[in-house]
Amino acid sequence: MKSFNPICSHPTLQLLEKCKTLYALKQVHAQMITTGLNIHTYPLSRILLSASPLSLTYALTIFNQITNPTVFLFNILISSIITHHKNHTHIAFGLYNRIFTHKNLKPNCFTYPSLFKACGFHPWVLHGLALHTQVLKFLESSCDHYVQASLLNFYANLGKFDVARYLFNQISNPDLATWNSILTAYARNASNSTSCVSRITNGDSSLSLEVLYLFTEMQNSLVRPNEVTLVALLSACSDLGVLSQGIWAHAYVVKNNLKLNCHVGTSLIDMYSKCGCLNLAYQTFDHLRQRDTLCYNAMIGGFAIHGYGQRALDLYKKMRLEGLLPDNVTIVVSMFACSHVGLVEEGCKIFDSIREVYGNEPTLEHYGCLVDLLARAGRLQEAEEKIKKMPMKPNAILWRSLLGAARVHGNLAIGEVALKHLIELEPETSGNYVLLSNMYAKINRWDDVKKVRKLMKDHDIYKMPGSSLVEINGTMHEFLIGDKTHPCTKEIYLKVEEINNRLLEYGHKPRTKEVLFDIEEEEKEDSLSYHSERLAIAFALIASDASVPIRIIKNLRVCSDCHDSGKLVSVIYQREIIVRDRNRFHHFKDGTCSCLDYW
Ligand code: ZN
Ligand code: ZN
């Protein structure tokens, strides 16, 4: 049925848009019947679109009265149900099956995207796979970009990146929507795997690297990025700590007059703070015209990981004054801020407010923050009590904070309890064993140290190698412990020697005993001076301009000897050094660190 202008612009149809109630809609429907509009496809599509959000039953009644519905009408109703009635998507699938009961009908490329979307949010894996075979059967091979993009999203959300990537490669000249689908899928999954706010990165950055790689490919094609693309790109930059590419993205937004909306703003704040530029993060935050809860969360989180607990709390208060409601993430980042600077009472107040002010029940993650807060401050018994009394089963993160704090405060009894739970929950994680062995070493129980090491050997557990990244003029250089693969190895090791001599002149005493075992996961056998961050700092001193701070990204915690020497190097060489380790930032400047040695 061809739709022609007189029908498309019929005054009755204009009324449809104004229908806010089912009653009003029924009146317009009656008019359509008396004027005979309801036998034409286009008017029918319009009333289905208006009726479906108001009443699914009514929309279905209208649809069932159509004698020969076209695929266009099927598609309209299917996608409207999936958009407006997430709990009734099975009805949409029923309609899809009904297409085949009409001899002359066949689904087309507009039928599938919403169905794949529905499979994604349930998630109906088998439905999705079955649909994919039907796409291959019923659609021409030169399939439309939207179908490809929705298929690709479906597989990417299942974590099947090889299939998603294969589908993407099949698309000749992908358009902006398709590029955004694949980039967003990679970026989202990279940050999902680091969902715990209290950890900056999980050490596996392959998905984020893939985003940067794909983005370069996109730039080589003629497709120009938009806001959605940049959000994906920035999230990868945050994860990897690639400041230069992040700054490029910011400049691109400004130069091309893209919208600096809350999404882009939040991504920029997050990128700057995770790349160590807290000032730029705050400038961006300050200049945003509109700020939502997510923008505040990113900025509070930024202050938190940089150790500015009080500023984080001030912002938390300001946010509430502006009438924005804190969400779960706000609570978590604010408590994290308190915990890292020892603001125990303030942190407890925030925890209590979850129930008293906002009327919610604290989540597992909130309990995690509370335990961390108390344990770090040395209130270990209280922390252990909280774990015992919490209404849900504690996870490994909770026991790990208790263990970490027990080590710092030398409480062996609580440390052992925590470790037993931890090894039960994650028998393969090397860090747990290493923490306990460090603790035994600290009080000279060398036999127990040996036992733990043997336990690790028996369980075939290996430590994750430490690595540090440093960006020099836009290129990332990676160093492992004792690394000799860099082209400038000779100069780097000479520099390390020079640094060590100057450290000795300044009275630095390598903390050999403690250090041997304080190193969380790095090889103790290797000499301290060749820890990956030491090599990275030496290289940066040689290769970068003296006026810019040195930014290092490390996948593990910094050991206490590297921490001490980092502080001294910042005075001796008059350089600001910013190290992002697995948990937080250390700004070494004029001989002190922003963490105040509390990490
Ligand atoms: Zn070290
Ligand atoms: Zn520090």
Side-chain angles (χ1 to χ4, degrees), residues 519 522 528 531 533-534 554 558-563:
I519 304 157
E522 252 173 331
L528 296 170
H531 280 174
E533 59 270 52
R534 305 278 270 264
K554 178 157 195 203
V558 177
C559 83
S560 51
D561 193 65
C562 288
H563 194 266

PDB file of all heavy atoms in Angstrom, residues 519 522 528 531 533-534 554 558-563, ligand 1:
ATOM      1  N   ILE A 519      57.226  -6.521  49.105  1.00  0.00           N
ATOM      2  CA  ILE A 519      56.854  -6.460  47.713  1.00  0.00           C
ATOM      3  C   ILE A 519      55.668  -7.380  47.530  1.00  0.00           C
ATOM      4  O   ILE A 519      55.774  -8.568  47.752  1.00  0.00           O
ATOM      5  CB  ILE A 519      58.002  -6.957  46.842  1.00  0.00           C
ATOM      6  CG1 ILE A 519      59.235  -6.138  47.149  1.00  0.00           C
ATOM      7  CG2 ILE A 519      57.631  -6.904  45.401  1.00  0.00           C
ATOM      8  CD1 ILE A 519      60.488  -6.860  46.804  1.00  0.00           C
ATOM      9  N   GLU A 522      55.922  -8.811  43.411  1.00  0.00           N
ATOM     10  CA  GLU A 522      57.058  -8.822  42.516  1.00  0.00           C
ATOM     11  C   GLU A 522      58.133  -9.785  43.004  1.00  0.00           C
ATOM     12  O   GLU A 522      58.212 -10.105  44.175  1.00  0.00           O
ATOM     13  CB  GLU A 522      57.632  -7.413  42.359  1.00  0.00           C
ATOM     14  CG  GLU A 522      57.312  -6.865  41.004  1.00  0.00           C
ATOM     15  CD  GLU A 522      57.708  -5.414  40.864  1.00  0.00           C
ATOM     16  OE1 GLU A 522      57.704  -4.689  41.872  1.00  0.00           O
ATOM     17  OE2 GLU A 522      58.025  -5.035  39.749  1.00  0.00           O
ATOM     18  N   LEU A 528      66.177  -4.609  44.131  1.00  0.00           N
ATOM     19  CA  LEU A 528      65.152  -3.578  44.209  1.00  0.00           C
ATOM     20  C   LEU A 528      65.273  -2.523  43.131  1.00  0.00           C
ATOM     21  O   LEU A 528      64.295  -2.027  42.612  1.00  0.00           O
ATOM     22  CB  LEU A 528      65.283  -2.839  45.547  1.00  0.00           C
ATOM     23  CG  LEU A 528      65.037  -3.644  46.783  1.00  0.00           C
ATOM     24  CD1 LEU A 528      65.456  -2.816  47.972  1.00  0.00           C
ATOM     25  CD2 LEU A 528      63.571  -3.978  46.830  1.00  0.00           C
ATOM     26  N   HIS A 531      63.190  -2.784  39.873  1.00  0.00           N
ATOM     27  CA  HIS A 531      61.728  -2.835  39.805  1.00  0.00           C
ATOM     28  C   HIS A 531      61.282  -1.978  38.626  1.00  0.00           C
ATOM     29  O   HIS A 531      61.898  -0.952  38.339  1.00  0.00           O
ATOM     30  CB  HIS A 531      61.106  -2.321  41.100  1.00  0.00           C
ATOM     31  CG  HIS A 531      61.108  -3.358  42.175  1.00  0.00           C
ATOM     32  ND1 HIS A 531      60.710  -3.099  43.453  1.00  0.00           N
ATOM     33  CD2 HIS A 531      61.443  -4.660  42.137  1.00  0.00           C
ATOM     34  CE1 HIS A 531      60.814  -4.205  44.167  1.00  0.00           C
ATOM     35  NE2 HIS A 531      61.261  -5.165  43.389  1.00  0.00           N
ATOM     36  N   GLU A 533      59.139   0.235  37.917  1.00  0.00           N
ATOM     37  CA  GLU A 533      58.938   1.686  37.967  1.00  0.00           C
ATOM     38  C   GLU A 533      60.264   2.436  38.040  1.00  0.00           C
ATOM     39  O   GLU A 533      60.384   3.572  37.581  1.00  0.00           O
ATOM     40  CB  GLU A 533      58.004   2.089  39.112  1.00  0.00           C
ATOM     41  CG  GLU A 533      58.433   1.714  40.509  1.00  0.00           C
ATOM     42  CD  GLU A 533      57.911   0.350  40.911  1.00  0.00           C
ATOM     43  OE1 GLU A 533      58.115  -0.612  40.143  1.00  0.00           O
ATOM     44  OE2 GLU A 533      57.311   0.231  41.992  1.00  0.00           O
ATOM     45  N   ARG A 534      61.313   1.767  38.628  1.00  0.00           N
ATOM     46  CA  ARG A 534      62.630   2.416  38.708  1.00  0.00           C
ATOM     47  C   ARG A 534      63.211   2.569  37.302  1.00  0.00           C
ATOM     48  O   ARG A 534      63.825   3.586  36.978  1.00  0.00           O
ATOM     49  CB  ARG A 534      63.569   1.584  39.575  1.00  0.00           C
ATOM     50  CG  ARG A 534      63.002   1.298  40.954  1.00  0.00           C
ATOM     51  CD  ARG A 534      63.217   2.460  41.887  1.00  0.00           C
ATOM     52  NE  ARG A 534      64.450   2.369  42.603  1.00  0.00           N
ATOM     53  CZ  ARG A 534      64.566   1.868  43.830  1.00  0.00           C
ATOM     54  NH1 ARG A 534      63.494   1.423  44.451  1.00  0.00           N
ATOM     55  NH2 ARG A 534      65.720   1.830  44.433  1.00  0.00           N
ATOM     56  N   LYS A 554      51.542   1.709  36.882  1.00  0.00           N
ATOM     57  CA  LYS A 554      52.029   0.407  37.287  1.00  0.00           C
ATOM     58  C   LYS A 554      50.858  -0.542  37.505  1.00  0.00           C
ATOM     59  O   LYS A 554      49.805  -0.136  37.971  1.00  0.00           O
ATOM     60  CB  LYS A 554      52.839   0.565  38.578  1.00  0.00           C
ATOM     61  CG  LYS A 554      53.329  -0.769  39.065  1.00  0.00           C
ATOM     62  CD  LYS A 554      54.521  -0.730  39.960  1.00  0.00           C
ATOM     63  CE  LYS A 554      55.024  -2.158  39.985  1.00  0.00           C
ATOM     64  NZ  LYS A 554      55.802  -2.493  41.135  1.00  0.00           N
ATOM     65  N   VAL A 558      52.930  -0.302  44.514  1.00  0.00           N
ATOM     66  CA  VAL A 558      54.323   0.135  44.618  1.00  0.00           C
ATOM     67  C   VAL A 558      54.888  -0.413  45.925  1.00  0.00           C
ATOM     68  O   VAL A 558      54.207  -0.388  46.949  1.00  0.00           O
ATOM     69  CB  VAL A 558      54.379   1.675  44.657  1.00  0.00           C
ATOM     70  CG1 VAL A 558      55.797   2.139  44.841  1.00  0.00           C
ATOM     71  CG2 VAL A 558      53.780   2.254  43.409  1.00  0.00           C
ATOM     72  N   CYS A 559      56.129  -0.901  45.902  1.00  0.00           N
ATOM     73  CA  CYS A 559      56.702  -1.411  47.153  1.00  0.00           C
ATOM     74  C   CYS A 559      57.237  -0.246  47.978  1.00  0.00           C
ATOM     75  O   CYS A 559      57.445   0.853  47.464  1.00  0.00           O
ATOM     76  CB  CYS A 559      57.784  -2.452  46.893  1.00  0.00           C
ATOM     77  SG  CYS A 559      59.403  -1.778  46.528  1.00  0.00           S
ATOM     78  N   SER A 560      57.500  -0.487  49.269  1.00  0.00           N
ATOM     79  CA  SER A 560      57.837   0.653  50.116  1.00  0.00           C
ATOM     80  C   SER A 560      59.200   1.230  49.775  1.00  0.00           C
ATOM     81  O   SER A 560      59.436   2.422  49.942  1.00  0.00           O
ATOM     82  CB  SER A 560      57.745   0.295  51.592  1.00  0.00           C
ATOM     83  OG  SER A 560      58.478  -0.865  51.825  1.00  0.00           O
ATOM     84  N   ASP A 561      60.120   0.400  49.267  1.00  0.00           N
ATOM     85  CA  ASP A 561      61.423   0.965  48.901  1.00  0.00           C
ATOM     86  C   ASP A 561      61.311   1.860  47.678  1.00  0.00           C
ATOM     87  O   ASP A 561      61.908   2.935  47.622  1.00  0.00           O
ATOM     88  CB  ASP A 561      62.445  -0.140  48.656  1.00  0.00           C
ATOM     89  CG  ASP A 561      63.847   0.444  48.585  1.00  0.00           C
ATOM     90  OD1 ASP A 561      64.306   0.975  49.611  1.00  0.00           O
ATOM     91  OD2 ASP A 561      64.444   0.416  47.497  1.00  0.00           O
ATOM     92  N   CYS A 562      60.540   1.417  46.680  1.00  0.00           N
ATOM     93  CA  CYS A 562      60.356   2.259  45.496  1.00  0.00           C
ATOM     94  C   CYS A 562      59.625   3.540  45.889  1.00  0.00           C
ATOM     95  O   CYS A 562      59.858   4.602  45.322  1.00  0.00           O
ATOM     96  CB  CYS A 562      59.570   1.515  44.415  1.00  0.00           C
ATOM     97  SG  CYS A 562      60.532   0.219  43.635  1.00  0.00           S
ATOM     98  N   HIS A 563      58.719   3.433  46.858  1.00  0.00           N
ATOM     99  CA  HIS A 563      57.978   4.600  47.322  1.00  0.00           C
ATOM    100  C   HIS A 563      58.944   5.605  47.953  1.00  0.00           C
ATOM    101  O   HIS A 563      58.924   6.793  47.621  1.00  0.00           O
ATOM    102  CB  HIS A 563      56.913   4.152  48.315  1.00  0.00           C
ATOM    103  CG  HIS A 563      55.882   5.192  48.611  1.00  0.00           C
ATOM    104  ND1 HIS A 563      55.982   6.037  49.683  1.00  0.00           N
ATOM    105  CD2 HIS A 563      54.742   5.537  47.969  1.00  0.00           C
ATOM    106  CE1 HIS A 563      54.934   6.857  49.694  1.00  0.00           C
ATOM    107  NE2 HIS A 563      54.165   6.574  48.661  1.00  0.00           N
TER     108      HIS A 563
HETATM  109 ZN    ZN B   1      59.621  -1.596  44.202  1.00  0.00          ZN
END
